[in-house]
Amino acid sequence: MQDNATEVTAAGIARLAGVGRAAVSNWRRRHADFPKPVGGTETSPSFALAEVEGWLRKQGKLAEVPLRERVWQQLAGHPEGPVTALVHTGCVLLLIHERPTVWLDVSAGSDERLAAMLPGALDQVLGSRLGATHGRDVHTVRAEIGSAAVNSPAPVNTAPADHAQAGPQLPGAVNTPGPAGPPGPAPALRTPTGPQLLASVPLLRGAAELAAETGARQTFEFLLGRHLDANPRQYTLTPAELARLMADLAGPARTVLDPACGTGALLRAVDARPGQELYAQDCAPDLAALAALRLALHARASVRGAAGDTLRADAHPELRADAVLCHPPFNERNWGHDELAYDPRWEYGFPARTESELAWVQHALARLADGGTAVLLMPPAAASRRSGRRIRADLLRRGALRAVVALPVGAAPPYNIPLHVWVLRRPDRTPAAPEVLLVDTGRFAGEGRGGPDWPAVRDAALDAWRSFARTGRLAERPGSARSVPVIELLDDDVDLAPARHLPPPALPEGAEALPVVRERLGETLRLTADLTPSPAEPAAPVRWPLTTVGELARGGALLLRTGGNGGHARVPVLTDHDVLAGTAPSGTLPESEEEAVLTEPGDVVVPVLGGGSVARVVDGATAGAALGRNLVLLRPDPAALDPWFLAGFLRGTANHRQASSYASTATRLDVRRLQLPRLPLEEQRRYGARFGALDEFERAVRRASRLGEQLVRGMYDGLTDGTVAPD
């Protein structure tokens, strides 16, 4: 089997060789032996990865493709698409994780032999972990493995050809035929056949090699995370910190259901318990398959996944779970309103067509055991829309809705809306005088789009919920939390938004703090005046000999690193928004086996998205933070480059313009193409001192702006609430 089946774009070639895309275009024009396109379009061609790798090595432009990058390029350029490649890879990684000796046996020999033997081996491990034996007898599976090993190396098809056309189909999987009529739920994963696996064999061997270095679970998380990052518009993800909070609100559970599982983030956040069972369903077959594999690799729990529309074709109708976690689709009009009018799940009222979220709430309650807990992420409108007030009222009266937690802006997509978390319990009895907990964590929003202060959000929400869960009441915490008697909420609106029912806290920014703010603003304005750059004398443009960041990196004058997707260390994360706003590290990254890139004093950090001419020199206060996504770190050799000189010239508007590429919705900076003059170190330091002074002035201006806004807001609040007199 030739590796030529894997294709790579010009952007991928640039990443492999460590150059800009313009260099790849030049190679195509100047070198007649450059590999010819094998796919794509005229404006965006793709090339055979093996041919490209060979050409780069022959030209001395590539010593060796890093294993992680090679595997990723094989996956991204798979002829059947990256999702199929991910599913095939996940199946093999699960086999390696569960039965490494079986993998060693089936992978010995030719690619054809591997593709022929894999389906039988996968059937066993998928059946064991996912309950997906497809009615195939274990003895039959073993006989197929033995037959494939002894007989012809031709690929073995594990299912009749006519089965491939039945039911909702995931690329690279085989579905068995079902009865006529509306499509029902299907198993999340079917064993790929030998012919389907044959095109993936080079990728599977590479993934196995990577798993030997980093582990099977870590390899799958890396590839899945890279795929999600490369296709952000295709998926609505639940951030890891939010998933952890929702799992903690639900508490320990042996059986857990996520009826809209996506990539499995919520179930992955559940604390493991002996004999645990995880149930997952998603209407997108590819997500259902990826979630099932991810969960099976993550823990020893029994995983039961399904693909299908949960509201119309529930795969687990008899389940009574200890906990339900759900991030449902928001504002869904076509959720089944017309055909589900008499569904028994609507115990609390038939949801209006515009209230799909209340349909998910009642589905979650219907799948709970008595006393079980459901935690759902909800849009804030679901707490106050008039069309849902009768259902909300019944949820309150019968003690099903126990808490509403308002999250800060930026907690989860859509990031411009402060979402809510609803905590519900299936009532085993109606409380005599029910109360509902309302919590508002909105004050913990981060600056810009850096994300909220998750430790503070967790502490506020969990402390209030656990105190309330013990006694059914919570003493008022001004501006933060209180338990409200249900009778107070049963008015014409039944509005459950926490901000409507929580009195404002006694803020230190009240009228008594305004003199302090005014004094600090005055000091900052005086400092800003002192730091204002002196008038510049006009001079003729200077023509320096130029070099690029890419050339300096290849020559060893600086080290270039890109922001990662996670790491072991739980340290503050410097995000691109922190760099743009000049604020302290405020982000988080998912925990993973990757090594986080930690900043050091003197590093220069550059955002690659957004089109702003920004570069930040890391100081002592920022040092030690992990580098976030969409950032590039440049670590100059102090014997060759002054960091302030480097950062200053990188900020030039013309410099950014020539190094940027433009798409319909975004501007991306190729940091390697940024230019700076070749100057002696002493001359660099002269420029660096001036750039450093400009940076200090810029920070003073920003601080003055923030203090001015605080003073103006305090004056408006004081005048309108009577704590400040108008004269």
Side-chain angles (χ1 to χ4, degrees):
M1 175 66 190
Q2 295 298 315
D3 195 10
N4 291 355
T6 301
E7 298 177 11
V8 62
T9 64
I13 297 173
R15 283 195 296 270
L16 289 173
V19 298
R21 293 182 63 177
V24 179
S25 299
N26 287 336
W27 293 342
R28 293 184 62 197
R29 287 195 301 268
R30 292 167 48 199
H31 297 277
D33 62 340
F34 190 87
K36 302 302 180 186
V38 297
T41 65
E42 185 176 348
T43 56
S44 181
S46 58
F47 307 83
L49 176 61
E51 294 180 7
V52 167
E53 182 184 346
W55 187 88
L56 291 173
R57 190 173 289 110
K58 178 181 174 183
Q59 296 292 324
K61 303 180 186 298
L62 179 67
E64 186 59 53
V65 180
L67 179 59
R68 286 158 63 95
E69 187 65 30
R70 173 192 247 299
V71 173
W72 165 248
Q73 292 294 349
Q74 289 174 324
L75 187 145
H78 193 282
E80 298 299 324
V83 173
T84 296
L86 264 176
V87 172
H88 291 179
T89 305
C91 290
V92 166
L93 290 173
L94 184 59
L95 175 64
I96 294 171
H97 182 69
E98 296 286 322
R99 304 177 184 184
T101 57
V102 174
W103 164 254
L104 292 175
D105 179 39
V106 301
S107 62
S110 68
D111 290 356
E112 288 76 12
R113 178 181 181 275
L114 173 58
M117 294 185 67
L118 257 184
L122 293 179
D123 242 342
Q124 293 189 56
V125 71
L126 295 178
S128 170
R129 292 306 314 280
L130 306 179
T133 55
H134 329 303
R136 290 162 55 100
D137 180 76
V138 172
H139 298 292
T140 303
V141 172
R142 288 177 178 163
E144 285 182 358
I145 295 177
S147 173
V150 174
N151 297 323
S152 168
V156 175
N157 192 336
T158 61
D162 57 345
H163 287 188
Q165 302 302 318
Q169 177 120 358
L170 172 70
V174 176
N175 288 310
T176 54
L189 193 63
R190 299 285 195 180
T191 304
T193 67
Q196 291 165 340
L197 287 166
L198 190 58
S200 301
V201 167
L203 165 64
L204 302 180
R205 292 191 188 277
E209 187 179 349
L210 184 57
E213 292 184 2
T214 64
R217 176 173 67 85
Q218 293 82 358
T219 298
F220 188 71
E221 287 293 324
F222 161 69
L223 294 173
L224 176 62
R226 192 87 174 257
H227 172 69
L228 297 176
D229 284 344
N231 301 276
R233 295 179 180 273
Q234 295 182 23
Y235 305 99
T236 299
L237 304 179
T238 308
E241 294 284 358
L242 175 57
R244 184 71 222 166
L245 171 62
M246 293 174 65
D248 287 346
L249 287 169
R254 195 184 70 83
T255 57
V256 189
L257 165 69
D258 185 347
C261 64
T263 60
L266 288 173
L267 292 176
R268 189 171 177 268
V270 173
D271 286 332
R273 299 190 69 188
Q276 194 169 57
E277 298 176 355
L278 304 178
Y279 293 84
Q281 183 170 351
D282 199 278
C283 62
D286 54 349
L287 290 181
L290 295 175
L293 289 167
R294 189 183 195 191
L295 295 171
L297 282 163
H298 177 70
R300 295 304 309 167
S302 172
V303 179
R304 298 293 177 262
D309 185 330
T310 297
L311 294 181
R312 290 186 175 91
D314 184 12
H316 312 291
E318 306 303 321
L319 177 65
R320 296 298 177 264
D322 299 325
V324 175
L325 300 172
C326 186
H327 177 174
F330 296 162
N331 304 316
E332 192 68 46
R333 295 298 182 98
N334 185 28
W335 58 268
H337 176 271
D338 295 338
E339 57 264 53
L340 298 175
Y342 301 102
D343 196 287
R345 288 173 290 184
W346 316 140
E347 294 182 53
Y348 302 88
F350 181 41
R353 189 183 302 276
T354 56
E355 295 288 351
S356 62
E357 296 87 5
L358 294 182
W360 285 99
V361 164
Q362 294 191 75
H363 172 81
L365 286 168
R367 294 297 162 262
L368 283 175
D370 289 346
T373 304
V375 182
L376 287 87
L377 186 65
M378 302 284 281
S384 56
R385 280 190 297 242
R386 288 189 61 81
S387 55
R389 66 189 187 279
R390 292 182 180 176
I391 294 177
R392 293 196 299 271
D394 209 28
L395 290 169
L396 292 172
R397 288 192 195 97
R398 296 169 59 180
L401 181 59
R402 306 299 293 133
V404 176
V405 179
L407 298 173
V409 172
Y415 290 106
N416 60 330
I417 297 175
L419 302 175
H420 290 176
V421 171
W422 287 21
V423 184
L424 305 105
R425 281 200 173 147
R426 183 160 185 83
D428 45 8
R429 58 183 178 83
T430 302
E435 298 195 2
V436 64
L437 174 67
L438 301 179
V439 182
D440 189 354
T441 64
R443 66 188 183 281
F444 300 123
E447 292 195 43
R449 290 174 53 200
D453 181 353
W454 278 112
V457 172
R458 283 177 52 81
D459 290 345
L462 291 176
D463 182 60
W465 167 247
R466 288 165 179 166
S467 298
F468 173 77
R470 283 193 295 269
T471 63
R473 285 189 171 84
L474 181 74
E476 182 178 311
R477 302 177 182 181
S480 176
R482 67 180 286 223
S483 61
V484 182
V486 165
I487 193 67
E488 292 186 18
L489 300 172
L490 295 177
D491 54 16
D492 288 342
D493 295 323
V494 197
D495 193 331
L496 307 180
R500 306 272 176 101
H501 305 281
L502 295 174
L507 294 175
E509 296 85 11
E512 66 277 6
L514 291 180
V516 177
V517 176
R518 190 178 188 280
E519 182 179 350
R520 290 175 58 198
L521 175 60
E523 293 173 356
T524 304
L525 289 173
R526 287 190 291 274
L527 175 63
T528 304
D530 293 339
L531 294 173
T532 302
S534 57
E537 294 292 334
V542 180
R543 300 279 184 187
W544 290 297
L546 299 176
T547 185
T548 65
V549 168
E551 290 174 352
L552 291 171
R554 286 192 291 274
L558 58 81
L559 175 68
L560 189 148
R561 301 288 301 275
T562 57
N565 297 318
H568 298 284
R570 308 311 294 161
V571 297
V573 175
L574 184 69
T575 70
D576 54 344
H577 306 294
D578 297 331
V579 175
L580 292 168
T583 55
S586 64
T588 58
L589 287 175
E591 191 167 358
S592 75
E593 298 302 318
E594 292 191 39
E595 283 296 329
V597 179
L598 301 182
T599 58
E600 297 178 3
D603 289 344
V604 177
V605 180
V606 183
V608 298
L609 294 180
S613 300
V614 177
R616 177 170 173 175
V617 178
V618 174
D619 56 16
T622 306
L627 192 69
R629 300 174 184 177
N630 301 321
L631 289 175
V632 171
L633 179 145
L634 306 176
R635 183 165 294 160
D637 180 352
L641 281 174
D642 179 81
W644 284 107
F645 163 80
L646 174 63
F649 272 96
L650 296 188
R651 290 190 62 170
T653 302
N655 201 2
H656 264 248
R657 187 174 298 145
Q658 64 85 25
S660 296
S661 58
Y662 303 93
S664 58
T665 58
T667 302
R668 186 171 187 88
L669 179 69
D670 185 348
V671 175
R672 291 178 177 273
R673 291 170 52 191
L674 287 170
Q675 299 174 336
L676 62 158
R678 297 180 183 270
L679 296 179
L681 190 56
E682 286 303 315
E683 188 71 4
Q684 291 181 32
R685 288 171 178 159
R686 285 185 57 227
Y687 276 96
R690 189 64 184 268
F691 286 136
L694 279 175
D695 180 79
E696 189 176 2
F697 171 69
E698 183 179 33
R699 285 187 281 117
V701 169
R702 283 176 169 163
R703 187 161 59 251
S705 175
R706 287 194 290 267
L707 287 168
E709 290 175 1
Q710 187 178 352
L711 180 61
V712 169
R713 182 73 267 161
M715 289 295 296
Y716 270 110
D717 289 346
L719 287 167
T720 55
D721 65 18
T723 57
V724 173
D727 44 7

